[in-house]
Structures are given as C-alpha cells and as structure tokens.
Amino acid sequence: MKPSEMIKTLIRQDQGYSGKSVSFRPGQIVSGKIVKLFPNQTAEVQIGSHKAIAQLETPLSANSRYWFKVQPGEGMIRLKVMESGGQASMASPVVSLLAQLALPASKDNKLLLKYFLKEQLPITGETLQLASDWLKEGESFEDGLRTVKELIVRQLPFTKDVFLALSSVNNGDSVSVLMEKLLHQLNQSELTARGQKISILLNDFTQTAREKSGALAAARLSAEWLSTKSQANSLAAFNILKALELVKGETNEEMALKQAIDSWSQRNHIPGQPAIMESIKELLQTNQSEKRQEFILNLAKLSSVIDNFQVSSGQSQALSEIQRILSNIRTSQITFPVENKMIVPLVKEAMFLNMKDNSNSGNRFLSIFGESELKIASVTLGSFLAGENNSLAAMLQPQERSILADLKNSIQAESIFKVDQQSIKAQLKNLIQALGLSHEHDMVHFLKQPEDGSATKWESLKPLLIGLLSEAVPFSAKDAAERLLHKITGFQALSQEAGPQQHFVFQLPVPLWGKVSDLTMQWSGRKTENGDIDPSHCRVLFYLNLEHLNETIVDLHVQNRIINISVINEHEGMKALAAPLTVKLKESLAKLNYKLSSVTYHKPETSGNSLKNREPISSLVEANQFTGVDLRV
C-alpha cells in the first residue's frame, strides 16, 4: 500500500462521524420530507437521518419531499420551500435546483449534487459553485468529491488552496519525490537568495545517510585541499579528490581552482553577496603578460574585499601574501605573469576564507563541484567510511590513505546515523520544524514574544516556498514549488484538535542508509492540562518503506502505559528476524516506565497482486481509533 493509499484509508475511517450531527445555517439548502403538520405552519421535517421541528414559510403537504432554504432567525428553524419533488424521480428536482443555483445541468454537476445528498452534506449555492469549478480542474472526479466532503466534515476553510492541499495529500507524489522534482527545477535556474536556501534544504532532505556521510567527508577533503596549514596534507587531499573524479583527470591545481570558481559562481550567484570569489576569478584571468596593470588592480581589489571579510572571520594569511606579491611586482623582484607556485596558495587561502565564513560551510565547500559528480563521489566515500568498499584506498598513496583513515575515524565518532531514542526523537522534531509544519504556530508565538528568537524558524521550508512563489522564477520551478507547498499544507489541514483530543498526520523524508523513505504517521490522543498528548493513553500508526523489508506498517497502542504493537509486513521471516530484538525493546521501554504486553505480526490482506491494492489497515484496525504517539517510546 502506498502512503497516499494508506492516508485515504485513514481519512475514510476518520469520517465515520459525518452525518451524525447536524446544524442549520442561513443560506443552506436541504432536501426534506414533511413528516407531520402542526398548527401555525410548523411541521416535523425529516432531513436525512435527522428530524427537526421547523417554521414553514408557506403551507405544504404531509409525506411530500421538498427543497428548503434555511432562513435567518432565532429559535426554531425557519425553512422556505424552493422546489417540490412530489412523487417524481429525484432527477427532476436535482435539475430544477441546479437551474435555480445558475449551475448547468451537466453530468458532473448532477453527480455532485447527488453526492451532497447521499453524504448528507450541507448545501449552499456558493459551495456547489466552488466545488463544481474545482472538480472541473481536477484529475479525478471521484477523488475530488471525497476531498470536498473532507473540507466540509472537518470544517476547514472552503477555499481552493485548502482543497488543493488536501487533494495533494490524498493523491500524487510523496513529499520526498516532490522535493526531488523541485530541486531538479531549481538546479536548472539561476537561484535567488531564497532559492539557494531552499536548494540547500532540499539537498539535505533528499540525501541518504550514506550520501550525507560521504558529502561530509568530501567537504572536509575540500577544506583540507584549500587550507594552507600543511602543504603535504593539501596535496594529498587534492589527489583523493582526483581519485573520486571530483577533479578531472590530469587537471593541475590552477585549472582545478578555475573550474571550482566557475562551479561555485554558477551555484551561488546572488546579487550583493561578498565578492571574494568574483575577485579571485578576475585575478586569474588577468595573470597574463599584456594585462599587468589590470592584475595589480585586481590584486588590490581582492585585498580590500578580504580586509572587509576579516572583520567577521578573523585574520587571514592571504592579506599579507597579497601585500608581499604587490610589493615584489612593483620592485621587479618577481617576474610577471606570476608563477603558479606563488598564485595558487594565495587563491586557495582566499577561497578557504570565503567558504568558512558561512554557517553552512560544508555546503559552501561542496558547491565548488558539479552536482552529478558530487552525488557519485558521496556514495563512494560513504561506502568506504562504512567499510563497504575498499577499492578507493587501493588507488591511493600512504599519505592519502592516512588522511582517509583519520577522516573515517572522525566521522564515525560523530555518528551521523544515530539510532538511539534521544537522537531519533531529535531528528523527528528537527524534520518537522525544518519542513515548516509548525510555521503558523511559530509565527503567532513570535508576534507575541518577538525577542525569543522564533524568527529563525521562518527559515523553514514552508515560508521559503511561499516567498519563492512571489518571485520571478521559471514556471516549471514555480509549479513544482506550489505542489510541494500544497502537500505540506494538506498535512497541516488534517492535523486538528477536536475537543479534548489532538490529531496529527504528517509525512517526513527519512534518510535511511541507502535510500530516502517517506515516513507517514498518524497520531492523536487526549490532551493533558498543559496541552501535550497524554503519554499513558495514546496510539500511533506509521508507514515506512524500508530498504530491505520494504513496505512496513506499525500499529502501536498505549493504554495505562501498557503497550501492544502490531507489525504489518509481507516478509516471510519477519517474526523470526525481529524476535531477538523484542527482549531489548522490552527492557528499553521498562526504563521509560512502559510495559510491553505483546508484539504481533501480520501479513497484509490480499486483494490483488500488488501491495498498493491491499487494505491491511482497515482489516486490522477498527475505524476511528488511531490515537497518538509519545515520541519517547
């Protein structure tokens, strides 16, 4: 079952309450039958499964069906007849009502109105007109009808944006796929400052744990190459980058630096940004015999730019080296053009200064390489760090292998792919915040307490996407951004409070070692006095497409801190594989004051040859009982 199919199942189960209560608001149109007539033009009217005493505007006949429009007024419901069905079929009153609402009696509009009647949804001219317009633009009429129902049943704003947001959750690509599509479009465009921030976020979201580990190693190798602290280590790091094909073939350092500057400029071209890289580029271009004066001017310009940088980033050897070269050129102590052995260390030092002066220095160091080359190299390095591939080390010299060994030890010590309880909890919270699922809440909190630093949360993905849509970006990129924004907003719309209950549904891109999987979760539970979910009484259901076990659903109950877990998976040996972990799980839960009662394993119900056509959730879980998760579990 795909995440979108699972979400549809959850939503349908959660709609069991629709039609069980009714309220009448002025302007609504209802189909009702006169059950009994009373004096003073009052009557008992049956509307769907509900009966109400109403004040009628005109005399009517008992046991007849009419279209009524709810009139304003206090106390008793006031109904004005619109159309009588009499003994005729329902087709005639449906067509008549559509005509009164100025809607064409098309096949789709007839189906729309009949759907409202069947599902006992409140009808107004405005809602029918809007729903009719939205359904014309949708890909699936049936899915569109269900989405309209969700808007009404959940009492969400009846707007096109919310309709599209819920439609995106029910259908279409997952969050990670939409991220990859947007990232691809952004990479084809010249990025604005906001576009670059989105690109950095999406790169992080769509990288596997192996790629994250390898990318970190590549960034540190790049920093080692550009650093002038140790010439031997710098050369060794450069040779490793060549072995990874991040630097091509027989390219020397000067050529590699020019290519790195070009790559960096293309991916970081933002008006008003610090001009170190541009100054370096101009300097290298004028290091020619006929451009001596231009070279000196560019060297002075680079000196000025670096001098401004040093205010925030600390002193750099580059500034003193520039002064030395300038002095030696003017006194003819060095020949012109300047030799590579003098210019290359200066350029490397200046580039290193530019890239480390940034909170995302790792991303800055990586931006000197091409996207496709970096992806391949990250996988290769990640596999080496995990001990999966030793062919890289076989290509290197002892000094280079030593650097790789030190790099491997340092990265393993930092343990990027942590699986302990506190780390997983922190990762989930960070993902939720980075996506912007709490954006509106954070914004309200900031307006109340602007001094507490909440403004930094406005740099999450959702507000950045909203801002990008207002910029002059290519249509393809804007369309991809809009689809991702609708997906995020749709999950927010499904997450609501209902009295003492809290209800949340979300989908997060989770980096596994060899793939990124979309973790889809639904959780809710009753609120405690401080507004949190009660950790003693809750239930969680989550779906994850794992790297080796494939599609897996976990259904977890917590009642009086006693936990029952159901695992749904097609794997034949699932129970045997998980059995050795059950004892450890029980012990870990006991430390958190929880008692594990049972862990049961089920295969999905078969209703077709593909897992996406099966309905395991509805067969294992009673409707409307998915309640909550405590992240400490």
Side-chain angles (χ1 to χ4, degrees):
M1 177 179 287
K2 293 180 178 179
S4 59
E5 294 295 324
M6 189 193 76
I7 294 166
K8 286 182 184 178
T9 303
L10 296 176
I11 291 170
R12 289 168 193 163
Q13 291 169 342
D14 194 45
Q15 288 179 341
Y17 60 86
S18 64
K20 293 181 180 178
S21 61
V22 66
S23 60
F24 298 99
R25 295 187 298 274
Q28 284 184 358
I29 299 167
V30 295
S31 173
K33 179 181 178 181
I34 303 297
V35 180
K36 293 181 181 179
L37 293 172
F38 300 110
N40 302 320
Q41 290 190 201
T42 59
E44 181 182 9
V45 183
Q46 181 161 347
I47 302 170
S49 59
H50 309 281
K51 290 183 179 180
I53 303 299
Q55 178 76 51
L56 306 178
E57 297 266 322
T58 55
L60 300 174
S61 303
N63 297 316
S64 295
R65 182 168 292 277
Y66 300 87
W67 286 111
F68 295 103
K69 187 171 186 178
V70 181
Q71 301 298 298
E74 299 293 331
M76 189 181 299
I77 300 168
R78 306 179 69 86
L79 300 176
K80 180 179 179 180
V81 68
M82 293 185 65
E83 178 67 34
S84 173
Q87 300 301 317
S89 68
M90 283 297 295
S92 175
V94 165
V95 171
S96 177
L97 181 57
L98 288 173
Q100 292 186 59
L101 296 174
L103 288 171
S106 65
K107 177 183 177 182
D108 286 348
N109 282 345
K110 291 177 184 177
L111 290 173
L112 172 63
L113 185 51
K114 289 180 179 179
Y115 182 80
F116 268 66
L117 292 171
K118 175 187 172 185
E119 300 296 329
Q120 301 177 31
L121 301 176
I123 301 170
T124 68
E126 182 184 14
T127 55
L128 282 177
Q129 180 67 65
L130 289 172
S132 177
D133 293 339
W134 299 340
L135 293 173
K136 290 176 186 175
E137 300 175 13
E139 297 180 2
S140 168
F141 188 82
E142 291 73 19
D143 288 339
L145 287 175
R146 284 192 288 269
T147 302
V148 168
K149 177 182 175 181
E150 289 164 33
L151 287 176
I152 296 172
V153 169
R154 296 175 185 276
Q155 299 181 12
L156 297 171
F158 204 79
T159 66
K160 186 175 181 179
D161 284 341
V162 180
F163 172 81
L164 291 174
L166 283 188
S167 296
S168 178
V169 170
N170 291 338
N171 310 286
D173 296 320
S174 67
V175 167
S176 66
V177 171
L178 291 173
M179 287 179 171
E180 288 175 354
K181 289 183 176 180
L182 174 56
L183 183 59
H184 174 74
Q185 294 299 330
L186 292 176
N187 287 337
Q188 310 303 311
S189 312
E190 185 174 306
L191 298 182
T192 62
R194 184 178 282 112
Q196 186 185 0
K197 290 178 181 178
I198 294 174
S199 179
I200 290 172
L201 274 174
L202 295 181
N203 264 310
D204 187 58
F205 279 131
T206 57
Q207 279 187 327
T208 65
R210 176 169 51 196
E211 289 172 335
K212 287 178 185 290
S213 179
L216 177 59
R220 292 186 180 177
L221 284 171
S222 304
E224 189 68 52
W225 168 42
L226 296 177
S227 174
T228 56
K229 290 182 180 179
S230 168
Q231 185 175 353
N233 285 350
S234 175
L235 181 59
F238 179 69
N239 288 334
I240 297 172
L241 294 175
K242 291 182 73 172
L244 291 166
E245 296 188 358
L246 286 170
V247 176
K248 296 297 182 184
E250 299 301 319
T251 305
N252 60 31
E253 280 199 280
E254 183 184 20
M255 294 172 60
L257 289 170
K258 288 180 179 179
Q259 292 171 2
I261 292 168
D262 288 340
S263 178
W264 189 92
S265 298
Q266 291 173 6
R267 295 169 62 183
N268 297 273
H269 181 67
I270 303 171
Q273 67 180 3
I276 280 188
M277 297 295 274
E278 191 62 34
S279 298
I280 296 172
K281 185 176 182 179
E282 292 170 356
L283 182 70
L284 291 174
Q285 289 172 345
T286 54
N287 189 25
Q288 303 174 28
S289 56
E290 71 276 10
K291 296 185 177 181
R292 183 176 184 275
Q293 190 60 36
E294 291 178 58
F295 179 85
I296 293 174
L297 290 173
N298 284 327
L299 202 56
K301 178 182 176 182
L302 179 59
S303 174
S304 175
V305 173
I306 291 177
D307 192 34
N308 291 332
F309 252 55
Q310 290 185 158
V311 174
S312 60
S313 61
Q315 295 297 311
S316 167
Q317 294 179 5
L319 198 59
S320 59
E321 185 66 16
I322 289 173
Q323 298 301 328
R324 188 180 71 80
I325 293 175
L326 275 173
S327 176
N328 288 341
I329 290 176
R330 287 167 179 160
T331 58
S332 299
Q333 295 183 41
I334 60 175
T335 60
F336 187 82
V338 181
E339 295 180 3
N340 283 347
K341 65 180 182 180
M342 296 187 66
I343 204 71
V344 165
L346 168 62
V347 170
K348 287 165 62 176
E349 179 68 24
M351 289 176 65
F352 183 83
L353 173 67
N354 178 73
M355 293 177 192
K356 76 171 185 176
D357 184 64
N358 187 277
S359 58
N360 290 305
S361 56
N363 289 299
R364 281 293 181 108
F365 281 112
L366 294 178
S367 65
I368 64 177
F369 303 117
E371 288 279 357
S372 57
E373 293 85 357
L374 181 59
K375 191 172 185 67
I376 295 171
S378 295
V379 172
T380 301
L381 270 173
S383 297
F384 168 79
L385 295 173
E388 299 172 350
N389 180 7
N390 292 319
S391 61
L392 176 62
M395 302 166 58
L396 304 174
Q397 299 299 318
Q399 173 73 8
E400 296 152 9
R401 288 199 294 268
S402 175
I403 286 181
L404 268 187
D406 292 342
L407 192 59
K408 180 177 180 179
N409 291 335
S410 66
I411 291 179
Q412 284 182 341
E414 294 174 16
S415 185
I416 295 174
F417 197 52
K418 297 178 179 178
V419 293
D420 62 281
Q421 171 255 328
Q422 288 296 334
S423 296
I424 292 174
K425 173 183 176 181
Q427 288 170 23
L428 286 176
K429 285 190 172 182
N430 289 338
L431 281 170
I432 289 171
Q433 181 178 318
L435 273 175
L437 290 170
S438 59
H439 168 60
E440 287 76 10
H441 175 271
D442 293 338
M443 186 166 61
V444 170
H445 183 73
F446 172 75
L447 293 174
K448 293 179 180 177
Q449 300 178 10
E451 71 285 350
D452 72 347
S454 296
T456 58
K457 298 178 181 178
W458 292 15
E459 296 294 284
S460 60
L461 185 59
K462 180 175 181 178
L464 288 172
L465 289 173
I466 294 172
L468 185 70
L469 294 178
S470 65
E471 296 181 347
V473 296
F475 174 79
S476 56
K478 185 168 288 190
D479 181 65
E482 194 169 39
R483 288 176 183 273
L484 180 54
L485 178 60
H486 283 322
K487 197 79 171 182
I488 295 171
T489 304
F491 282 108
Q492 288 179 297
L494 289 176
S495 303
Q496 3 174 305
E497 293 186 8
Q501 295 287 319
Q502 285 184 324
H503 180 86
F504 297 98
V505 183
F506 54 79
Q507 190 176 82
L508 305 173
V510 176
L512 305 180
W513 180 245
K515 66 181 292 185
V516 174
S517 182
D518 293 281
L519 170 64
T520 306
M521 300 184 69
Q522 178 176 1
W523 52 293
S524 61
R526 66 189 186 191
K527 294 185 292 185
T528 60
E529 291 182 358
N530 61 4
D532 297 331
I533 285 183
D534 185 351
S536 299
H537 302 271
C538 53
R539 185 170 180 179
V540 60
L541 184 140
F542 67 88
Y543 168 102
L544 189 62
N545 193 350
L546 297 170
E547 196 167 354
H548 300 292
L549 295 176
N550 300 321
E551 293 160 311
T552 304
I553 298 172
V554 178
D555 176 24
L556 183 148
H557 284 264
V558 181
Q559 189 69 24
N560 290 323
R561 303 191 79 83
I562 298 174
I563 298 178
N564 293 281
I565 299 175
S566 294
V567 180
I568 307 168
N569 185 273
E570 284 190 313
H571 200 285
E572 290 290 342
M574 185 68 178
K575 185 173 182 178
L577 286 170
L581 303 175
T582 305
V583 174
K584 180 63 176 177
L585 174 63
K586 194 170 187 176
E587 293 173 354
S588 298
L589 288 171
K591 293 177 182 177
L592 299 171
N593 195 27
Y594 286 95
K595 179 181 178 181
L596 180 62
S597 175
S598 67
V599 181
T600 57
Y601 301 89
H602 309 267
K603 286 189 176 183
E605 291 290 323
T606 303
S607 59
N609 295 324
S610 173
L611 187 58
K612 71 180 181 180
N613 294 323
R614 301 172 187 173
E615 295 281 332
I617 301 172
S618 58
S619 65
L620 293 172
V621 185
E622 294 180 14
N624 209 23
Q625 285 192 348
F626 298 121
T627 54
V629 63
D630 176 18
L631 289 178
R632 292 178 299 172
V633 175

